[in-house]
Amino acid sequence: MINDPGASVPKNIFYFQVLLYLSLLIDVLSAAFLDRIPDDVTESTKLAVNFIAVMMTLGFVQLVWLAAHRRKKWARTVLLVALMLSVASIVTTVGEAGMQFSTFVDVISTALTAFGLYFSFTGDARDWFRQPV
């Protein structure tokens, strides 16, 4: 059953996926509707920033999938490091500019990621990552 591509994932891995994909959806919607790029930046720079954001989001989607379906511990670790960087970024932003709506959205997204990663390290997820693919 382990190698069966149609086999369902454990409950905690399912929650991990749902919460991280929801976090990424919030990030995408936030990038689309909250203009965080200064007005004095050229159009080509704005395009480059948006392209990088899209590529990073697709990379995170791939990392979630690798952790959830291919049981790659390293992908889960990369997501954990990204979470730590997000927390540091939020703390810095709040310290410099205070709490704004965009920062609140980031806090929600980061909290969803934290809860999702919590599920990936607990319960039936432990055995999931110990078994070979």
Side-chain angles (χ1 to χ4, degrees):
M1 279 293 176
I2 292 173
N3 292 327
D4 182 14
S8 63
V9 298
K11 180 181 68 166
N12 278 24
I13 296 297
F14 174 76
Y15 292 148
F16 159 73
Q17 275 187 276
V18 168
L19 290 169
L20 265 79
Y21 287 144
L22 184 58
S23 171
L24 289 170
L25 177 63
I26 289 171
D27 290 342
V28 167
L29 293 174
S30 170
F33 294 111
L34 297 177
D35 188 20
R36 298 179 188 204
I37 302 173
D39 293 333
D40 60 344
V41 175
T42 65
E43 286 300 315
S44 60
T45 302
K46 287 181 183 181
L47 183 63
V49 168
N50 288 331
F51 179 76
I52 291 169
V54 168
M55 290 297 111
M56 286 182 66
T57 302
L58 291 175
F60 285 127
V61 166
Q62 182 69 22
L63 288 171
V64 172
W65 185 84
L66 284 169
H69 294 279
R70 295 291 180 230
R71 302 173 192 199
K72 302 295 183 186
K73 293 179 190 176
W74 65 265
R76 185 177 57 166
T77 304
V78 170
L79 291 166
L80 186 61
V81 170
L83 171 66
M84 290 183 222
L85 291 172
S86 292
V87 169
S89 174
I90 289 170
V91 168
T92 302
T93 302
V94 169
E96 291 176 357
M99 188 63 112
Q100 300 172 352
F101 180 71
S102 61
T103 311
F104 177 73
V105 171
D106 290 341
V107 168
I108 297 298
S109 174
T110 302
L112 289 170
T113 300
F115 286 127
L117 281 167
Y118 168 79
F119 281 114
S120 77
F121 284 96
T122 59
D124 53 9
R126 289 181 188 168
D127 291 336
W128 182 254
F129 286 104
R130 288 184 187 140
Q131 298 172 355
V133 178

